[in-house]
Amino acid sequence: MHTMRCHYCDQGCNLDEGKTGICGTYHLSEGRVLERFPYRWSSYFASHIESLPFFHAYPGSRALLVGTAGCNASCRYCSNAYVARTDPATFRYFQMEPEALVRKARLASCHSIIFGINEPTVSFPSFRDLALAAHAAGLQAGCLTNGCMTGTVAEEMAQVCDFVNLSVKSLSEEFYRDYIGIDAAKTVLRNLKTLAAGCHVEVTTPIIQSVNDIEIPEIAAFIRSIDSNIPWHVFRLLPEYEMKDERYPDIEEITSLLTGACKHLPYIYFSNFAGSQWTDTRCPSCGRAVITRISPGGCGAKLTGYHLDGDRCPTCGTKIPVLGGHRPWDQEGTA
Ligand code: SF4
């Protein structure tokens, strides 16, 4: 029987004719590894780019968030298990060519299309075609990823994306093995470097109380070693899925760790609870709040004020890295 190794992620599944790998979204057909469900989308809807979250890319803009089904990892705390863990063959999809999704994005006055419901690596050819169609129509393209793809796919992702939010869940291989189901720490950190060299990157870390909160200073130092301008979103992970009996992360304890980490990184954000004081962008030189946001709870935040003068702090003139500048929602639809 013919067998071929899947080249999309480091799980490296050997695919036999008629069999699928761990994610369930690729199979071997006519001697090639192909997507089983090309151009089939589990959902699409318009959202503030800050809610995904991207805080330093086109602030204020609207994005069309899309996804498929399936995942190449098995996070014990998955907050989207119904989409990620359900057999993709049984899922209910919208079947839509990339150009049709781009038309939807334009009709909804979106400035970009972002793949973020599940992991784009498991539907990479469809995502790549969608990103190219978005660019052809003058829209931006981005994604949220777990970073567990092969180096080749990471390079291609950097080429087709304007911005990526990569989840660095830990620096430890043991953590990835125990909580994510894949020995991917080295792979993720390598891919972070590749993506940061090729497009705008923000990083998200879901924090589990008493498990990876102690890594906060080390992760901040690691991100700094790549680029201190990378925004870091610390996500207060509410226990879900196989970890629903665990403790809720303590806001005060994590705040104290983040305060120490600020000496490593100037742009640290903390979300997934209402009223967070960690959603504004502050000038690292004079401390002025140059972009203000409010956290209504949930992931990310909403923009409430944009005070940069060009790309600089209006008080002291320090350059603040923001891809594309302010794009208020009510001025969209003209791309
Ligand atoms: S993308 Fe899916 S099939 Fe391919 S190696 Fe990864 S888990 Fe296996």
Side-chain angles (χ1 to χ4, degrees):
M1 183 184 280
H2 190 56
T3 298
M4 190 173 274
R5 192 175 170 86
C6 175
H7 56 280
Y8 285 100
C9 90
D10 278 6
Q11 293 277 21
C13 304
N14 285 314
L15 302 180
D16 298 325
E17 290 282 357
K19 296 261 174 66
T20 65
I22 290 168
C23 63
T25 60
Y26 293 105
H27 65 166
L28 193 60
S29 177
E30 298 169 5
R32 291 193 300 151
V33 175
L34 296 176
E35 265 185 293
R36 295 173 72 202
F37 315 107
Y39 304 160
R40 289 195 218 171
W41 314 95
S42 59
S43 56
Y44 64 91
F45 59 93
S47 185
H48 290 278
I49 197 165
E50 285 83 5
S51 68
L52 299 181
F54 286 96
F55 280 10
H56 287 234
Y58 302 99
S61 69
R62 179 187 276 200
L64 192 77
L65 183 64
V66 306
T68 56
C71 192
N72 55 346
S74 321
C75 300
R76 284 172 56 192
Y77 52 74
C78 184
S79 55
N80 218 0
Y82 191 72
V83 175
R85 310 297 333 150
T86 299
D87 177 359
T90 64
F91 217 83
R92 300 182 73 173
Y93 296 99
F94 302 95
Q95 173 89 47
M96 236 184 291
E97 297 288 314
E99 291 73 17
L101 265 181
V102 169
R103 281 196 295 277
K104 299 270 183 205
R106 291 176 65 100
L107 277 172
S109 300
C110 292
H111 178 265
S112 60
I113 299 180
I114 298 176
F115 192 119
I117 306 292
N118 60 320
E119 171 53 38
T121 303
V122 305
S123 303
F124 194 70
S126 287
F127 171 55
R128 180 180 52 208
D129 291 350
L130 178 59
L132 294 175
H135 286 155
L139 301 181
Q140 307 286 305
C143 71
L144 317 181
T145 177
N146 61 28
C148 299
M149 70 291 266
T150 57
T152 307
V153 171
E155 283 169 20
E156 214 173 329
M157 188 178 278
Q159 283 169 14
V160 299
C161 285
D162 300 284
F163 41 80
V164 170
N165 190 320
L166 187 147
S167 183
V168 173
K169 300 172 196 301
S170 167
L171 301 181
S172 144
E173 214 61 80
E174 194 182 355
F175 177 95
Y176 269 87
R177 192 175 311 129
D178 291 349
Y179 290 91
I180 313 301
I182 172 171
D183 291 358
K186 284 195 188 66
T187 298
V188 171
L189 302 182
R190 177 202 65 200
N191 290 341
L192 173 57
K193 290 180 188 167
T194 301
L195 287 160
C199 65
H200 172 83
V201 164
E202 306 197 8
V203 168
T204 292
T205 299
I207 290 295
I208 312 171
Q209 186 79 42
S210 308
V211 177
N212 66 345
D213 50 346
I214 52 167
E215 287 194 68
I216 282 174
E218 289 169 72
I219 297 174
F222 180 81
I223 295 171
R224 183 189 176 86
S225 74
I226 297 174
D227 183 349
S228 63
N229 283 329
I230 291 177
W232 186 31
H233 302 268
V234 173
F235 183 75
R236 180 176 176 248
L237 190 78
L238 305 184
E240 291 194 58
Y241 194 42
E242 294 171 357
M243 296 185 71
K244 54 180 172 296
D245 297 328
E246 301 288 325
R247 230 180 111 192
Y248 271 49
D250 185 283
I251 293 168
E252 300 304 324
E253 286 177 32
I254 293 171
T255 293
S256 153
L257 287 163
L258 292 179
T259 303
C262 281
K263 64 178 182 290
H264 295 297
L265 275 182
Y267 306 114
I268 297 181
Y269 306 102
F270 183 25
S271 72
N272 207 22
F273 60 99
S276 172
Q277 303 287 315
W278 289 77
T279 52
D280 293 344
T281 300
R282 293 191 171 276
C283 172
S285 301
C286 71
R288 174 167 177 175
V290 290
I291 306 176
T292 55
R293 307 176 188 87
I294 193 162
S295 170
C299 188
K302 281 195 172 171
L303 187 80
T304 53
Y306 189 87
H307 309 294
L308 288 176
D309 182 5
D311 59 357
R312 295 189 179 272
C313 170
T315 300
C316 70
T318 295
K319 188 168 182 195
I320 310 292
V322 176
L323 180 69
H326 192 200
R327 300 291 171 121
W329 191 314
D330 57 8
Q331 291 175 21
E332 296 294 345
T334 54

